[in-house]
Amino acid sequence: MNTTTQSSLLQSTDFLVGGMTCASCVSRVERALMRVPGVQEASVNLATESARVVAAPSPDLQARLRRAVRQAGYEPREASAEDEAAAASPWAGFMPVAVGLLLSAPLLAPMLLEPLGVHWMLPPWAQFLLAAPVQFWLGARFYRAGWHAARAGTGNMDLLVALGTSAAFGLSLWLWWRAPAGGMPHLYFEAAAVVITLILLGKWLESRAKRQATSAIRALQALRPDIAHVVDAKTGKESDVPVAELLAGDRLSVRAGERVPADGVVIEGRSSVDESMLTGEPLPVAKAPGEELTGGSVNGEGRLVMEVRTVGAESVLSRIIRLVEDAQAAKAPIQQLVDKVAAVFVPVVLVIALVTLLGWLAMGAGIEQALIHAVAVLVIACPCALGLATPVAVMAGTGVAARRGILIKDATALELAHRVDTVAFDKTGTLTVGKPTLTQLLPLPGVGMDERALLAAAAALQSGSTHPLARAVLDAANAQGVAFEGAVLDLRAVDGRGMRGRLGIGADEGGDEWALASMRWREELGVPVPTELLAQLQSQGATISALLRFDAAATGQAQAMALLAFADEPKPEAAQAVARLRARGLRVVMISGDNRRAAQAMAERVGIAAEDVRAEVLPGDKAAVVQALRAGGHVVAMVGDGANDAPALAAADVGMAMAHGTDVAMEAAGITLMRGDVSLVADAFDLSARTVAKIRQNLFWAFAYNVAGIPLAAIGLLSPVVAGAAMALSSVSVMANALLLRRAP
């Protein structure tokens, strides 16, 4: 079992559940888990054969959960080497099917030869010897699971199969016993054996399709190398150690063509690195000293020496795998309808089979004919396809998304994304490159300081900030060789407004208070600046900050010392991405803390209408903007990358975070875009629409199959053999239809 603490009060536990065959099994396991004391939520996924339980921490919680699953008739287990071997082999688990086919073929041969004019039949004793191993050895799984379901007062696919094939087998024994000596009665051993074999074949094909659906996770897990080359800091010698033993701070050598063993930073060498399996970006990325490396990416032509920064569960690759696993294990909201149907489906089918039996007897049919029609009802009605319709489509959709650099954290986001009609973008770092540059620093009249001294003061104020504008100021100061030589005291950030602190200049080591302020903060403080100069800079689309100095000796009134103009370029693909969204009929909104003129100038460059610009929005107010859009009846997706975007991402119907942003943003979002390409937003909507279409197709055919098949079996138009084949085919067709997502362009 894998346990992750969610809070001080609840913990989430994941484990595998063996033996589930249909939607009724899922409902039964969930009910059993919910009866365990302390359990708050229980979600079981048929396609992944997994369970997730949220419960109050308890020393014996795992033991209680295991016992509850076992008492319900299923097998709690953990992933094993055998599971990995099975995933690697396309023929894993086929042996029982092969035995069933060999034993059933002679029983089915007379039926196949009869249309050719060949009338041949095995003697009853031979039919019995061939059918009995299939019924009681290969079919033992159906008896075990069906017995557990009956004891619990519920039903599942196994109970229907056990009852149906046992009735056919028992009827054959009765007719054989009643037949005159030397007679050749019409027996139904072939119906019992062939139905079990076909169902086993269908389940094997399902398992094989499931392995294909979960191939994304296995491909990600395969990115982890087993060995790393550790470089001794003193001697420079290399030694090989298992990747699992790496520690933060280790120096590693990554040779040409090797996978990067862990997350870290380049300290020696230059090369290009293929990150396509992580980001979906097909082009190699150039790496030089100081640049970050992600574990699992492939080094190109040069040798790199790196320092390990992150290992284990917190590495980027581990987090990606965890996100994909979470999404594939989660239930889409539409699955709730299936769960409600499954809860009553099997009991209703048993009633229909009984009515079929009694109805045929009432119409004068013999017990043999009436029983065979009831058996056909039991066999064809198994709700396997219903249980697989939604989860297998979610598995396939999230797998395709992962390969394209789109990580879907929960199935709800995947199902809801196609309904979005409004997309709200954060500006800086999302629609723009996120690396603004200081284009102008204009001293204002009468300040008594030159441009270099003012730049030094601005850089001193920004020395404690990681904001993109702060980096732009520091980069400009470094480029000009400007350094502040006085005392810097009491630096503090004013949320959404700027930085403030005391700077000791010259003999004034006590220091006046200075601030690098946004235009909003400057206006709140009532500090005047030349209006014409400000309007000119804003009309060019620049982001403006004001360098202020507070006169502590007098009234504390601030004076504007300089205006700083910053420019940030839109991402190359931003305009095309916005055009794609608008072509889909979506409204595109931009949210920015900039002044309105600068925000509208950038919006015009990327194709966003002026009326859809929300400017001068404080970080804490972004969520309110999103909520206002939702209050207008819109389904809203929010796209952002910074920690200050997290509340807005959480407030949206669908949150999308850029993976180059902060961990907080990624945790708040339902979808993470693994590279900073905003065109992935439209790709996510397209994939959501295709996945939901597959879910609906699967549910339609699963319901339609049962609605049409049960009456046909009840009125005698389907034999048990045909019903068994149809039932197996329905499950396989649902799996195959979902896997077509993997071929989507």
Side-chain angles (χ1 to χ4, degrees):
M1 290 191 179
N2 175 37
T3 304
T4 303
T5 301
Q6 290 188 325
S7 70
S8 59
L9 299 178
L10 296 177
Q11 67 181 25
S12 176
T13 301
D14 297 333
F15 57 96
L16 301 179
V17 179
M20 296 189 298
T21 54
C22 66
S24 296
C25 297
V26 170
S27 299
R28 186 167 161 225
V29 175
E30 286 181 343
R31 289 197 300 271
L33 291 171
M34 286 299 295
R35 287 195 291 267
V36 175
V39 172
Q40 302 296 314
E41 298 176 23
S43 177
V44 177
N45 188 306
L46 177 61
T48 57
E49 296 184 332
S50 64
R52 169 164 295 175
V53 177
V54 177
S58 170
D60 59 355
L61 175 64
Q62 295 189 15
R64 288 180 179 274
L65 294 175
R66 287 176 175 274
R67 180 172 295 183
V69 171
R70 196 176 302 280
Q71 289 177 344
Y74 302 92
E75 183 68 24
R77 58 188 183 88
E78 298 181 14
S80 63
E82 289 77 8
D83 294 326
E84 296 179 4
S89 171
W91 293 99
F94 187 71
M95 182 57 69
V97 179
V99 173
L101 290 171
L102 288 174
L103 294 175
S104 301
L107 296 171
L108 193 60
M111 184 186 301
L112 299 176
L113 294 173
E114 188 170 352
L116 302 177
V118 179
H119 301 284
W120 168 78
M121 185 71 67
L122 286 170
W125 63 267
Q127 294 185 48
F128 171 78
L129 291 178
L130 289 169
V134 178
Q135 183 72 40
F136 301 110
W137 175 43
L138 299 180
R141 54 177 287 184
F142 301 113
Y143 284 103
R144 286 193 297 268
W147 170 245
H148 284 294
R151 284 182 57 193
T154 63
N156 59 9
M157 185 204 85
D158 304 288
L159 181 61
L160 297 181
V161 173
L163 288 174
T165 58
S166 296
F169 194 90
L171 177 61
S172 300
L173 289 175
W174 169 259
L175 294 174
W176 181 19
W177 180 66
R178 290 287 304 274
M184 183 63 72
H186 183 75
L187 306 179
Y188 296 94
F189 284 123
E190 91 285 347
V194 172
V195 164
I196 288 177
T197 300
L198 287 174
I199 293 173
L200 291 176
L201 176 61
K203 301 306 289 182
W204 177 77
L205 291 172
E206 284 176 24
S207 298
R208 186 170 178 176
K210 288 176 188 175
R211 292 195 292 271
Q212 295 177 21
T214 56
S215 60
I217 290 178
R218 293 198 304 279
L220 289 169
Q221 291 171 336
L223 296 179
R224 294 167 167 158
D226 297 324
I227 298 296
H229 313 302
V230 177
V231 179
D232 188 281
K234 295 181 179 179
T235 65
K237 292 184 178 180
E238 296 182 12
S239 59
D240 291 349
V241 301
V243 168
E245 297 178 11
L246 290 179
L247 301 173
D250 284 346
R251 289 193 172 195
L252 308 180
S253 170
V254 186
R255 300 162 187 168
E258 291 185 336
R259 291 198 179 275
V260 177
D263 296 352
V265 63
V266 177
I267 55 177
E268 291 181 24
R270 296 179 181 271
S271 184
S272 59
V273 175
D274 181 359
E275 299 178 339
S276 59
M277 277 301 296
L278 299 172
T279 66
E281 174 59 58
L283 298 177
V285 180
K287 298 293 183 180
E291 298 197 22
E292 294 183 352
L293 291 173
T294 303
S297 54
V298 180
N299 185 22
E301 70 284 352
R303 176 181 178 269
L304 296 174
V305 176
M306 63 174 290
E307 181 179 301
V308 176
R309 294 289 174 86
T310 308
V311 295
E314 294 308 311
S315 68
V316 171
L317 182 58
S318 295
R319 291 171 60 200
I320 291 173
I321 293 172
R322 190 160 63 245
L323 286 172
V324 176
E325 287 176 336
D326 288 348
Q328 295 195 343
K331 281 190 177 183
I334 199 171
Q335 181 69 20
Q336 296 172 1
L337 171 64
V338 177
D339 294 342
K340 292 178 181 178
V341 172
V344 298
F345 189 83
V346 173
V348 169
V349 169
L350 292 173
V351 171
I352 293 174
L354 180 61
V355 170
T356 300
L357 175 67
L358 298 177
W360 279 97
L361 291 174
M363 290 188 297
I367 184 64
E368 174 184 343
Q369 184 181 12
L371 192 58
I372 286 300
H373 294 328
V375 167
V377 169
L378 291 173
V379 171
I380 201 168
C382 298
C384 311
L386 279 178
L388 291 168
T390 298
V392 74
V394 170
M395 289 166 62
T398 52
V400 171
R403 287 198 298 273
R404 296 185 181 182
I406 303 169
L407 289 186
I408 298 172
K409 192 167 72 173
D410 60 71
T412 301
L414 178 64
E415 183 180 328
L416 190 59
H418 78 287
R419 292 173 46 201
V420 166
D421 59 28
T422 302
V423 184
F425 284 97
D426 170 58
K427 180 177 78 75
T428 304
T430 303
L431 285 175
T432 68
V433 175
K435 294 182 179 179
T437 57
L438 179 63
T439 57
Q440 296 183 72
L441 189 153
L442 302 175
L444 296 180
V447 300
M449 295 176 64
D450 63 18
E451 183 178 336
R452 289 178 62 85
L454 291 170
L455 178 58
L461 287 170
Q462 297 290 48
S463 61
S465 174
T466 59
H467 192 278
L469 296 184
R471 289 198 297 269
V473 172
L474 295 172
D475 288 344
N478 290 333
Q480 297 184 33
V482 173
F484 184 73
E485 297 179 356
V488 181
L489 304 171
D490 299 334
L491 278 181
R492 58 193 182 278
V494 181
D495 187 34
R497 289 168 170 80
M499 293 290 294
R500 185 167 183 164
R502 287 192 295 124
L503 304 182
I505 298 178
D508 183 16
E509 289 301 322
D512 287 337
E513 274 207 286
W514 290 65
L516 193 59
S518 67
M519 287 298 99
R520 173 191 286 266
W521 191 16
R522 178 195 63 79
E523 291 173 2
E524 291 173 353
L525 294 172
V527 180
V529 295
T531 306
E532 292 184 2
L533 179 60
L534 178 62
Q536 177 185 351
L537 294 173
Q538 291 178 339
S539 66
Q540 298 170 0
T543 298
I544 311 301
S545 294
L547 183 61
L548 310 179
R549 184 173 186 173
F550 296 85
D551 185 2
T555 61
Q557 176 65 38
Q559 176 189 3
M561 305 293 288
L563 292 181
L564 288 78
F566 300 89
D568 191 7
E569 289 298 307
K571 290 180 177 178
E573 73 280 359
Q576 183 179 1
V578 170
R580 280 183 64 191
L581 294 172
R582 298 187 69 172
R584 292 174 60 95
L586 303 181
R587 178 187 181 191
V588 181
V589 175
M590 187 179 80
I591 303 176
S592 173
D594 265 351
N595 65 81
R596 179 160 297 278
R597 287 184 179 179
Q600 288 183 340
M602 180 59 69
E604 183 178 355
R605 295 181 67 182
V606 298
I608 296 176
E611 62 269 19
D612 288 327
V613 175
R614 303 292 185 270
E616 301 176 6
V617 178
L618 291 175
D621 295 337
K622 290 182 180 180
V625 173
V626 171
Q627 290 167 348
L629 292 170
R630 293 184 65 193
H634 297 289
V635 180
V636 180
M638 173 68 193
V639 187
D641 69 331
N644 56 22
D645 295 326
L649 292 170
D653 295 285
V654 178
M656 296 186 177
M658 298 288 183
H660 66 263
T662 65
D663 293 346
V664 176
M666 291 173 64
E667 288 299 322
I671 297 175
T672 298
L673 309 179
M674 286 305 296
R675 60 182 191 271
D677 186 348
V678 289
S679 63
L680 289 178
V681 175
D683 291 344
F685 293 152
D686 290 339
L687 187 60
S688 169
R690 287 198 296 269
T691 302
V692 171
K694 289 299 181 187
I695 290 174
R696 289 173 175 168
Q697 292 168 14
N698 285 349
L699 288 176
F700 171 80
W701 287 114
F703 278 112
Y705 159 82
N706 283 295
V707 169
I710 292 175
L712 291 175
I715 63 177
L717 295 182
L718 294 178
S719 70
V721 171
V722 174
M727 189 273 287
L729 182 62
S730 70
S731 298
V732 175
S733 64
V734 162
M735 300 289 293
N737 185 47
L739 288 176
L740 290 176
L741 280 169
R742 302 172 70 207
R743 294 188 173 185

